[in-house]
Amino acid sequence: MILLSILFAVFVFLAIGLIRTQVSARRLAELSWEDLLTKLEPVETDGITAVAVEYLNPGNFHLGRHPDDIWNMIGRAEGLSRMRANSDVLIALATYAQRWNLDEGLVVAERMRRDGLALRRAVVGIGLGMTCGYGKRRVSSYVHEAASAYYLMRLRLLALYDTSHAARYPSLAAAL
């Protein structure tokens, strides 16, 4: 009986999360391009880029930076929260670009959705790690994954706007 209650609670939790995600995506899709840009929250772009590049291009020294340094470079919990919030806006901006370039916009938006899922998984992993005490090295790995996913989303979006609608590229680059 307890197992059934736990499974039911997990199911309800997942259903609520799915509904919230769908409603949020629908609301973002209804916004104008300018409104989407104003929804972007400032993040530590240089720190995120440094962490992501280190993770995506490993060198001979795999230990890398100290976990506390990495955590500070992305802006700590607030920076992680902003990356998570911005990921939905970045996907909405990619979907918006489908108006000018349907084929490429569709491919880029789908890749960005997958990057967004990786970012969400990493955020959940970080939250569980901080709560359950996985250890700093394990949480550091999730921080690397989150920064890399956000970094790739940002690069994909900028490349899409550079090829699809170059007139909007400078405004987008300045907002990001």
Side-chain angles (χ1 to χ4, degrees):
M1 187 66 175
I2 293 174
L3 179 62
L4 186 60
S5 298
I6 292 172
L7 288 175
F8 180 73
V10 168
F11 174 75
V12 169
F13 177 74
L14 291 174
I16 290 171
L18 180 63
I19 290 169
R20 278 187 62 214
T21 301
Q22 292 299 321
V23 169
S24 175
R26 188 169 292 131
R27 284 184 185 153
L28 286 173
E30 294 171 356
L31 295 176
S32 69
W33 191 79
E34 292 80 12
D35 290 337
L36 286 171
L37 283 185
T38 61
K39 287 251 182 226
L40 288 171
E41 298 180 29
V43 294
E44 300 289 334
T45 306
D46 294 337
I48 292 168
T49 299
V51 171
V53 168
E54 177 182 285
Y55 181 73
L56 294 171
N57 301 312
N60 292 333
F61 187 64
H62 290 282
L63 290 178
R65 302 175 197 269
H66 191 272
D68 290 336
D69 294 337
I70 294 168
W71 187 240
N72 289 330
M73 289 174 73
I74 67 157
R76 307 185 66 73
E78 184 178 336
L80 191 64
S81 174
R82 288 179 178 193
M83 284 192 297
R84 168 64 184 88
N86 282 354
S87 70
D88 292 334
V89 178
L90 296 179
I91 292 169
L93 284 165
T95 303
Y96 194 89
Q98 290 178 11
R99 297 175 186 185
W100 309 294
N101 188 343
L102 180 63
D103 295 332
E104 189 176 0
L106 187 64
V107 170
V108 171
E110 183 57 32
R111 287 180 181 166
M112 288 177 64
R113 282 185 192 95
R114 292 183 182 274
D115 292 334
L117 286 173
L119 177 61
R120 286 186 189 116
R121 279 192 307 265
V123 168
V124 168
I126 292 167
L128 288 173
M130 296 289 199
T131 303
C132 300
Y134 283 155
K136 288 187 177 183
R137 288 287 173 199
R138 195 164 193 183
V139 169
S140 173
S141 177
Y142 285 124
V143 173
H144 275 102
E145 290 175 15
S148 298
Y150 187 81
Y151 171 75
L152 289 173
M153 291 178 78
R154 185 177 174 277
L155 286 182
R156 290 183 207 287
L157 186 64
L158 287 171
L160 175 64
Y161 272 79
D162 191 31
T163 59
S164 297
H165 203 296
R168 293 193 182 216
Y169 178 84
S171 299
L172 180 63
L176 291 175

